[in-house]
Amino acid sequence: MSDVVFFPIRHHSPACAWHLERLISERKPRAVLIEGPRDATALLPHLANPATKAPIAIYTTFVDTTNRLGQPKPEKSKPARFSAYYPMADYSPELVAIRTGVTAGAEVRFIDLTFPEMVLAEHGQQQKQQARSLLDEQYLRQSRFLKALCERTGTRDPDDLWDHLYETNFQQLSSEEFIKGVETYCALSRADYTTEMLEREGNIAREAAMAAEIKAETERGDGLILVVTGGFHTPALRERLEAARSGGATSETVPGEAQTLLMRYGFVQLDRLNGYASGMPSPGFYQRIWEHLHQETATDVPPAARTAAEFIVELGRVSREKAPGLSPADEIAALDQTRRLAGFRQHPQPTREDLLDGIRSSFVKGAADAEGGLVLDQARVLLAGSRIGDLPPDVGVAPLVDDFRRAAAQNGLDISILYHKEKTLELYKSTSHRATSHFFYRLDYLGVPFGRRLKGPDFVAGRDLERITEVWRFCWSPDTESKLTEQSLYGGTLEEATANLLQHGLDEADEKGQGRRSDVTAAQLLHACRMGLQRLAPELLARTAALIAEDASFVSLVNTAGQLLLLHSSREPLEAHTLTGLTTIANTAYQRACYLLPNLAGTSEQEEQATLDALNALQQVALSLGDQPNSHLLLRTGLRDLLDNAQANPAIRGGALGALHTDGQLDDEELVRHVSGHLEKDGPVFLRGLLRTNRPCLWQVRPLLEALNQTVCDWDESQFVKLLPDLRLAFADLTAHEADLVARTVAEQVGARSAPSLMITGASPQDLLLGAALNQRIEETLARDGLAAFLEEVSR
Amino acid sequence: MSSTQTATFLRPPAEIVYARELSALAANDRGPKPTGWKLSPRSVRTFVVGSEGQPLQHEWEGKRTETIVTRKFYGDDVLIERATISLAGNRGLLLVGEPGTAKSMLSELMAAAISGISTNTIQGTAGTTEDQIKYSWNYALLLAEGPSQRALVPAPLYVGMTQGLLTRFEEITRCPQEIQDSMVSILSDKVLMVPELDGDARVVLAKPGFNVIATANIRDRGVNEMSSALKRRFNFETVQPIRDLSLEVKLVMEQTERLLAEANAPVKVEREVVELLVTTFHELREGTTAEGKQLERPSTTLSTAEAVSVGYAGGLDAYYYGDKELSSNAIVRHLAGAVIKDNADDLKRLRHYFDTIVHQRGQDQGGIWQSYYQARKWLD
């Protein structure tokens, strides 16, 4: 029989790591068994490789393709997906155990359940899709015992409490004393747990599996076995080991269901304050302590005291760069305060909170929520650090990364150099160029930092459609592959991952209640074709068609019709030849949009702009759909209804008028009559709507401009000044050339020989309004004093 | 001084009120003390935040006895640690925060614990002069004898420096900036020059134990800017209003009862009545109700201290004109006075609070909320 030593740890604790390192080097165990997914044991050579630079993470995923969780409504296309991280820094006890263990010649293994087994043991209660940390120490944050202990010791939270108890005096303790302390701490915080809670969170199953592994190891011969697990499990393992039967239960995984691999990780993600739950905040701070603990040159200053001094000086520098004010005297005061606070709290060396308190006391000059917030934010960023890990090239990669590399090579894209390159693609001529375009768009859709489109048609947004080539700028960076690893949850190839993510996006829109909008689905259809996922197109089209029938949004329907027609006209570069029924479905959307036209009467002010744009687009759609007299009639009747509705939003009525005139359904005379009438009643708002849908009428219909000019001239000065902002907005869409054209026509009409320059420089619109008002006052004053004649003389 | 003397002053200072607790702490103090301090930093902390029910053994008025140190400050305990340690260093301590967040009380408690005396205080106003801070002269003696030690009238800063005491400076930002700045070199060099005197008396060197604890409102009306030079010589601590409702209820209740007892007006104070008062203050201050409804905040700061004064006034009202029990009626009668300071619209806001929130709660929960709403007539 062999000896078993249990080493309880808190994840990401430098003190635990330091004692663990010492214990392994001194006692040279035969085997080191570590809490971690068993299937990650294969990755150990890479983890122990000196070329591996922390922080790194084991990334593991599980896709429940065979519905082993027994979900009530299994759909073949939508299996439940789970993923998790197991992040490690240089000072993480697990990584230290691996590195030291391998150096000491011990057999090192992970002994916990694999991730799929863990998910099954939890009965799939964890959140799907969202990645979590396997080192989440939730029990520490929830424990009532620890809360009471915090109150008693005057510490803020369990993190502070841990530092207070274990991270300051660990160098003075023997490993036995230290282990005993940690185990007591963790055991007491486990006391709140009931058996049901342990069962529900999968702890019972995990501990049974770990105990069985340990038992099996003890039967393999003599010598010391070191078991490194979270302190939460240690007491249970000790108890279970007696009763455990050797040989862990193994369950087979279906190929393609699960993967476990290594990826680079960053301190920013590791810092829990940034939103990830993974044990300890401020990894930069603890990393520095860890480095000082291993410094060759002996100094009397404890590692944390040196770290605190360094960070205070760095923070002083950083904050001086942003805003001058803090002097070295403040840095001295902050360090002094930190040391004396540590002394007061009986810490042999300062903790993270001692340091932050020193900064709070000495760097903040004002209220805590104003000036204090800035300084502390800077401090938090500095303490979090920005280090990113690195992996040697021979580490296996996710199938998705592999597929990316293969596809990049196939498309002739060089990813071995780290600077930007450009690639021009002939979309209409070359099939292979289209395939390259699909590749870029797939990466873009997955959110992978790689390529950026500089030029080319944007079929989803409907811009620059006249272009026939695409230009991409691309550059490989380590982040490219990190993000790909993360997205490997969705599939092993780019094709599969994008298809699943697209599906996921639609499901999510459904959940958010946006699933009723047909244009969301139509946009995904364009995305799919752009990414070469034409196999999904029929389903997406059918889905769009089904949604049109119940879509109540005019804007959405017009968008949908436009997008479908765009796909139809661009079927060559988008490879959508085989997709049938595009125009028929677009026509359905168009008809339904026409049917909804009278409802636009109640358009709110916020929706005005979008609705007017849609009115414009609707005319385009009508033209693209071609000669179908029936459907044109539908549009005209709808617009007429809208125009004749006296209660309708005036801007929309203006828009309807413009549309009808463009269509030739109204003669110029009628147009002028409507405009003059509405200007009286609604002011420039109506005009704005009109010009939005029909700008050319302004210079094509001469009587319109005359009437407009007349109305404006009839306004008195104060009315004009009041309406001027709205009037400006109405004309805002005119291009420079059009504005010039209109100005010249008006100048002719009023009998001026040339139009005055319209450019007024050096004054803001407010200045001009003020000037106009002032001018009017002066004129009034002069008139009152009987000096009006003087003015006429001047203006002549 | 013994505790029996308490009743002879309108408001005795902390070192008299808590003389017994201070003696208990001193008798049990084993921590290291900075030179010139009466208690160790640890005991100072215990004095302010309490001994968590632990009795301390000591001798008091000739007898062995046990004393529990009560909690006097409700809020961030870590702030007390930082403040205490700041005072032991070479920078002054400046407590900032909104009105009524117990800054002055905290300064008084710390002075009482550290120096045993909290009355060495400069009371800052717009009219404070330099001689009220440093020293002035007995002009009769000055004319008769010329400048001499005998003719010098020491002001709090002089006293603090010569005797090694904590000097309190209340409302420092109410003083004009040039007066505030007379502290700058004293705080850094710990030296006060008296140019009128000759020889050794010209230079006053501070004794260990001297430091300055100042309080200031930064956002209140009628305050002056502080120069960066002076800011550099202080460590800032922000005292926040109490965020926890039940804690605030407890505090207001304790304080109201204590004040009423001191005023010899024994009135029954029910927790639920105090809860009404504190809830009103809390919700108006935060701008949201417990149900999450948004309220318009009054422009006056509705501090805990203000709630205590309403409770106290209501209690006196009940004692002299009522049935010796603090009622919701008495609270409302004094509520308007606390809320309206310089903006008549605040009364409208208070009325609106009653018409919507209190009225609704009266209908939903009945009982005390209903009688609270019935007292709304006093707000018209």
Side-chain angles (χ1 to χ4, degrees):
Chain A
M1 269 308 269
S2 44
D3 279 343
V4 180
V5 170
F6 289 92
F7 198 117
I9 55 160
R10 185 178 176 208
H11 304 300
H12 308 304
S13 154
C16 289
W18 188 79
H19 273 288
L20 195 51
E21 190 176 39
R22 208 170 64 161
L23 190 78
I24 296 175
S25 313
E26 275 172 13
R27 299 193 51 187
K28 305 238 179 294
R30 175 170 67 78
V32 177
L33 307 179
I34 302 168
E35 176 192 340
R38 276 178 307 197
D39 52 350
T41 303
L43 301 172
L44 281 172
H46 299 301
L47 285 166
N49 186 340
T52 300
K53 300 270 178 275
I56 39 150
I58 296 172
Y59 180 68
T60 166
T61 61
F62 169 49
V63 183
D64 186 19
T65 44
T66 53
N67 192 27
R68 289 205 276 163
L69 283 167
Q71 300 210 329
K73 278 193 295 174
E75 280 178 56
K76 198 97 182 102
S77 60
K78 293 191 224 169
R81 291 167 192 276
F82 304 86
S83 65
Y85 295 96
Y86 191 116
M88 283 183 266
D90 282 329
Y91 57 85
S92 297
E94 294 91 339
L95 189 56
V96 169
I98 294 165
R99 286 175 171 168
T100 332
V102 169
T103 315
E107 198 212 318
V108 183
R109 262 192 306 132
F110 286 118
I111 53 167
D112 201 352
L113 292 178
T114 63
F115 183 58
E117 290 167 343
M118 215 183 288
V119 172
L120 292 172
E122 292 163 358
H123 314 292
Q125 294 201 349
Q126 289 289 336
Q127 257 192 326
K128 276 173 266 176
Q129 312 286 2
Q130 207 174 20
R132 59 166 153 150
S133 168
L134 286 184
L135 305 186
D136 188 12
E137 288 166 319
Q138 211 176 21
Y139 71 98
L140 289 182
R141 263 167 282 141
Q142 290 170 344
S143 162
R144 274 181 302 157
F145 160 74
L146 291 184
K147 202 165 167 240
L149 199 55
C150 282
E151 273 167 31
R152 189 65 68 83
T153 53
T155 47
R156 273 152 270 230
D157 48 42
D159 286 337
D160 189 15
L161 178 67
W162 172 272
D163 281 2
H164 171 70
L165 293 173
Y166 299 108
E167 294 289 337
T168 66
N169 66 344
F170 61 93
Q171 285 169 287
Q172 283 89 48
L173 298 178
S174 72
S175 291
E176 284 70 30
E177 287 168 312
F178 181 80
I179 290 174
K180 216 168 139 195
V182 174
E183 190 168 346
T184 313
Y185 177 89
C186 295
L188 286 170
S189 57
R190 187 181 164 120
D192 287 345
Y193 272 72
T194 60
T195 316
E196 291 89 68
M197 283 157 79
L198 291 170
E199 162 69 29
R200 194 170 59 232
E201 290 179 16
N203 285 310
I204 303 267
R206 289 175 55 194
E207 281 156 8
M210 288 195 271
E213 289 274 352
I214 301 166
K215 185 83 175 174
E217 188 63 45
T218 57
E219 285 161 7
R220 264 177 223 154
D222 292 341
L224 181 68
I225 298 171
L226 184 65
V227 180
V228 181
T229 64
F232 184 78
H233 302 297
T234 308
L237 288 179
R238 219 187 264 286
E239 219 169 88
R240 274 178 173 276
L241 187 57
E242 307 299 320
R245 267 175 296 144
S246 65
T250 46
S251 71
E252 313 91 56
T253 48
V254 181
E257 192 180 54
Q259 58 172 358
T260 301
L261 24 99
L262 278 181
M263 66 183 281
R264 295 147 29 98
Y265 211 65
F267 272 176
V268 176
Q269 288 131 297
L270 199 55
D271 183 20
R272 202 188 50 212
L273 296 169
N274 284 306
Y276 281 76
S278 69
M280 257 192 192
S282 304
F285 175 75
Y286 295 106
Q287 174 76 27
R288 195 74 68 86
I289 292 179
W290 181 251
E291 282 164 13
H292 287 323
L293 272 170
H294 291 81
Q295 212 118 62
E296 296 293 324
T297 47
T299 54
D300 291 341
V301 190
R306 281 179 69 184
T307 306
E310 286 167 10
F311 272 111
I312 284 173
V313 172
E314 279 165 35
L315 181 62
R317 285 181 180 207
V318 171
S319 78
R320 268 199 295 279
E321 270 168 31
K322 297 245 164 89
L326 287 176
S327 65
D330 291 299
E331 291 165 16
I332 294 169
L335 184 58
D336 184 43
Q337 179 83 354
T338 304
R339 284 194 189 148
R340 278 184 299 115
L341 272 168
F344 174 78
R345 294 168 182 162
Q346 292 162 345
H347 300 156
Q349 46 183 334
T351 64
R352 173 177 161 275
E353 287 290 357
D354 291 341
L355 170 61
L356 284 172
D357 272 341
I359 290 166
R360 276 188 198 107
S361 285
S362 306
F363 275 17
V364 179
K365 296 292 168 203
D369 47 357
E371 292 86 349
L374 290 174
V375 174
L376 284 178
D377 282 349
Q378 280 175 352
R380 292 216 171 88
V381 170
L382 207 60
L383 258 53
S386 56
R387 181 189 281 242
I388 294 173
D390 201 9
L391 290 167
D394 62 331
V395 170
V397 294
L400 187 61
V401 177
D402 212 37
D403 185 59
F404 159 77
R405 291 180 185 168
R406 213 158 9 91
Q410 230 165 43
N411 287 300
L413 303 173
D414 187 357
I415 55 168
S416 62
I417 21 182
L418 278 167
Y419 54 81
H420 290 281
K421 288 161 292 286
E422 279 181 20
K423 178 97 181 165
T424 304
L425 305 172
E426 303 276 352
L427 288 184
Y428 286 81
K429 278 189 199 157
S430 153
T431 322
S432 68
H433 278 195
R434 280 203 292 275
T436 310
S437 175
H438 296 160
F439 172 73
F440 278 122
Y441 275 121
R442 281 174 186 178
L443 291 171
D444 190 53
Y445 196 80
L446 289 171
V448 174
F450 181 66
R452 200 161 63 83
R453 195 189 62 232
L454 296 180
K455 291 176 197 153
D458 185 341
F459 293 111
V460 173
R463 271 196 298 268
D464 299 332
L465 298 173
E466 70 287 354
R467 292 186 185 271
I468 51 168
T469 54
E470 246 173 23
V471 181
W472 288 83
R473 173 191 280 264
F474 66 97
C475 174
W476 181 90
S477 75
D479 282 346
T480 310
E481 299 199 350
S482 291
K483 186 71 190 175
L484 278 166
T485 310
E486 225 172 280
Q487 297 288 30
S488 64
L489 171 65
Y490 290 98
T493 64
L494 287 173
E495 207 260 358
E496 189 193 343
T498 40
N500 281 330
L501 190 63
L502 199 126
Q503 183 65 47
H504 175 60
L506 288 177
D507 292 346
E508 218 169 33
D510 250 346
E511 275 164 30
K512 281 189 199 146
Q514 289 168 342
R516 300 292 91 190
R517 283 188 65 135
S518 57
D519 61 343
V520 174
T521 317
Q524 295 300 332
L525 173 60
L526 281 165
H527 269 297
C529 292
R530 193 162 81 164
M531 294 190 289
L533 295 173
Q534 278 76 8
R535 68 179 171 90
L536 298 181
E539 194 200 322
L540 285 166
L541 186 63
R543 195 176 164 137
T544 309
L547 284 173
I548 287 171
E550 36 188 312
D551 198 338
S553 161
F554 173 74
V555 177
S556 157
L557 285 165
V558 177
N559 283 346
T560 306
Q563 280 160 336
L564 294 179
L565 289 172
L566 172 66
L567 181 56
H568 178 69
S569 60
S570 309
R571 54 192 179 278
E572 196 181 346
L574 289 175
E575 297 179 353
H577 314 276
T578 51
L579 208 56
T580 50
L582 277 173
T583 42
T584 322
I585 296 168
N587 198 26
T588 319
Y590 165 80
Q591 285 173 349
R592 191 165 157 75
C594 289
Y595 162 77
L596 290 178
L597 270 173
N599 296 359
L600 296 183
T603 305
S604 70
E605 209 171 317
Q606 292 91 346
E607 295 164 350
E608 245 171 42
Q609 206 67 4
T611 310
L612 284 171
D613 287 342
L615 266 181
N616 259 338
L618 188 63
Q619 297 178 74
Q620 285 302 316
V621 170
L623 287 175
S624 312
L625 281 171
D627 280 337
Q628 291 179 355
N630 207 9
S631 68
H632 281 278
L633 190 66
L634 217 54
L635 175 63
R636 285 166 199 154
T637 326
L639 288 173
R640 268 283 181 202
D641 258 15
L642 206 52
L643 182 61
D644 295 341
N645 183 347
Q647 256 77 54
N649 178 324
I652 304 297
R653 287 178 80 184
L657 178 70
L660 283 168
H661 182 259
T662 318
D663 201 17
Q665 296 307 305
L666 279 176
D667 56 23
D668 294 356
E669 202 182 317
E670 210 175 341
L671 176 77
V672 175
R673 196 162 49 75
H674 271 289
V675 173
S676 324
H678 275 287
L679 269 183
E680 291 291 309
K681 180 168 160 272
D682 303 313
V685 180
F686 182 83
L687 192 62
R688 176 154 55 90
L690 169 70
L691 294 184
R692 192 84 193 163
T693 54
N694 187 357
R695 274 204 322 268
C697 70
L698 206 51
W699 55 89
Q700 283 169 356
V701 186
R702 283 188 70 95
L704 176 67
L705 207 51
E706 277 164 25
L708 209 57
N709 191 25
Q710 193 54 50
T711 319
V712 174
C713 287
D714 287 347
W715 286 342
D716 65 31
E717 199 77 16
S718 67
Q719 205 179 356
F720 176 72
V721 171
K722 204 176 105 219
L723 293 172
L724 191 56
D726 270 338
L727 214 50
R728 279 166 49 86
L729 192 62
F731 287 98
D733 286 336
L734 264 60
T735 63
H737 174 72
E738 289 165 357
D740 190 49
L741 189 67
V742 171
R744 267 191 282 127
T745 319
V746 174
E748 266 170 47
Q749 283 173 3
V750 299
R753 253 167 292 144
S754 64
S757 167
L758 289 177
M759 278 301 284
I760 298 173
T761 50
S764 70
Q766 284 81 13
D767 293 338
L768 294 180
L769 276 175
L770 201 68
L774 199 64
N775 204 34
Q776 191 192 350
R777 288 276 296 279
I778 292 172
E779 280 175 19
E780 280 167 14
T781 315
L782 285 173
R784 201 179 54 223
D785 296 346
L787 293 171
F790 166 73
L791 257 183
E792 276 167 29
E793 213 168 289
V794 173
S795 51
R796 227 181 284 134
Chain B
M1 275 186 243
S2 77
S3 57
T4 47
Q5 277 177 291
T6 309
T8 56
F9 303 109
L10 190 57
R11 189 187 165 282
E15 59 271 24
I16 297 181
V17 177
Y18 302 114
R20 184 171 163 165
E21 289 187 12
L22 287 170
S23 135
L25 282 166
N28 291 278
D29 200 354
R30 270 171 284 281
K33 273 181 238 168
T35 330
W37 282 36
K38 294 265 189 288
L39 293 177
S40 69
R42 190 145 288 281
S43 297
V44 173
R45 180 187 186 274
T46 312
F47 178 63
V48 178
V49 305
S51 61
E52 288 171 22
Q54 299 272 0
L56 299 176
Q57 305 252 337
H58 67 121
E59 206 159 296
W60 181 246
E61 291 172 342
K63 276 180 277 182
R64 284 297 295 166
T65 181
E66 282 188 344
T67 301
I68 294 173
V69 182
T70 54
R71 179 178 271 274
K72 299 162 196 77
F73 173 79
Y74 292 86
D76 186 4
D77 292 358
V78 183
L79 180 147
I80 305 297
E81 292 181 6
R82 284 199 302 266
T84 312
I85 297 301
S86 287
L87 284 172
N90 60 3
R91 286 187 177 194
L93 173 69
L94 179 61
L95 299 170
V96 298
E98 306 210 335
T101 42
K103 297 185 293 293
S104 298
M105 182 199 80
L106 192 55
S107 128
E108 181 184 345
L109 290 172
M110 300 204 79
I114 292 172
S115 300
I117 175 165
S118 66
T119 49
N120 188 38
T121 307
I122 303 159
Q123 291 165 320
T125 67
T128 304
T129 57
E130 220 174 304
D131 19 335
Q132 288 165 354
I133 297 175
K134 297 175 174 171
Y135 60 89
S136 62
W137 299 97
N138 178 333
Y139 288 97
L141 276 174
L142 186 68
L143 289 175
E145 300 175 358
S148 69
Q149 191 74 284
R150 217 157 71 91
L152 185 137
V153 180
L157 199 66
Y158 189 98
V159 173
M161 290 179 77
T162 48
Q163 300 183 18
L165 298 178
L166 211 53
T167 305
R168 295 172 59 204
F169 199 144
E170 287 296 291
E171 301 282 5
I172 191 168
T173 45
R174 300 216 171 264
C175 300
Q177 214 188 60
E178 56 271 27
I179 301 295
Q180 296 176 22
D181 276 357
S182 64
M183 310 266 298
V184 169
S185 64
I186 297 175
L187 275 175
S188 45
D189 301 340
K190 309 285 193 280
V191 169
L192 173 64
M193 301 305 288
V194 187
E196 296 90 338
L197 296 179
D198 293 324
D200 287 351
R202 268 175 74 89
V203 182
V204 181
L205 298 172
K207 288 228 176 88
F210 165 74
N211 205 339
V212 174
I213 176 167
T215 62
N217 287 318
I218 350 190
R219 283 175 211 157
D220 214 359
R221 274 183 222 170
V223 299
N224 296 295
E225 257 301 299
M226 220 174 160
S227 67
S228 316
L230 190 57
K231 279 186 183 172
R232 276 201 292 278
R233 280 154 183 88
F234 277 111
N235 277 352
F236 282 57
E237 285 299 340
T238 309
V239 187
Q240 306 279 8
I242 302 174
R243 294 255 178 271
D244 183 31
L245 186 74
S246 60
L247 212 60
E248 197 176 348
V249 171
K250 189 165 173 257
L251 179 66
V252 171
M253 189 128 167
E254 277 176 16
Q255 297 269 329
T256 309
E257 279 176 335
R258 192 174 63 88
L259 285 170
L260 287 168
E262 278 171 14
N264 281 322
V267 167
K268 206 168 138 205
V269 179
E270 290 287 351
R271 193 189 147 86
E272 49 169 16
V273 178
V274 177
E275 221 170 77
L276 283 182
L277 170 66
V278 176
T279 309
T280 306
F281 267 61
H282 205 85
E283 293 186 334
L284 284 171
R285 187 196 312 145
E286 301 281 324
T288 44
T289 70
E291 297 92 356
K293 282 200 190 121
Q294 297 297 311
L295 295 170
E296 200 179 346
R297 289 184 209 191
S299 56
T300 329
T301 318
L302 292 168
S303 62
T304 310
E306 202 70 60
V308 172
S309 88
V310 173
Y312 180 47
L316 289 178
D317 188 312
Y319 182 73
Y320 291 111
Y321 304 122
D323 50 5
K324 304 197 170 36
E325 187 176 338
L326 181 64
S327 63
S328 54
N329 206 26
I331 297 278
V332 182
R333 277 158 65 138
H334 296 272
L335 204 51
V339 172
I340 314 165
K341 289 284 189 276
D342 52 4
N343 190 345
D345 283 346
D346 287 348
L347 184 60
K348 285 190 203 151
R349 290 174 190 138
L350 183 63
R351 284 195 197 125
H352 180 73
Y353 177 78
F354 266 80
D355 292 341
T356 53
I357 311 298
V358 178
H359 186 54
Q360 187 60 44
R361 282 189 195 148
Q363 284 180 345
D364 295 349
Q365 301 169 24
I368 186 119
W369 282 99
Q370 204 161 4
S371 59
Y372 194 42
Y373 180 67
Q374 277 156 8
R376 182 194 174 297
K377 58 178 184 280
W378 301 109
L379 296 177
D380 285 326

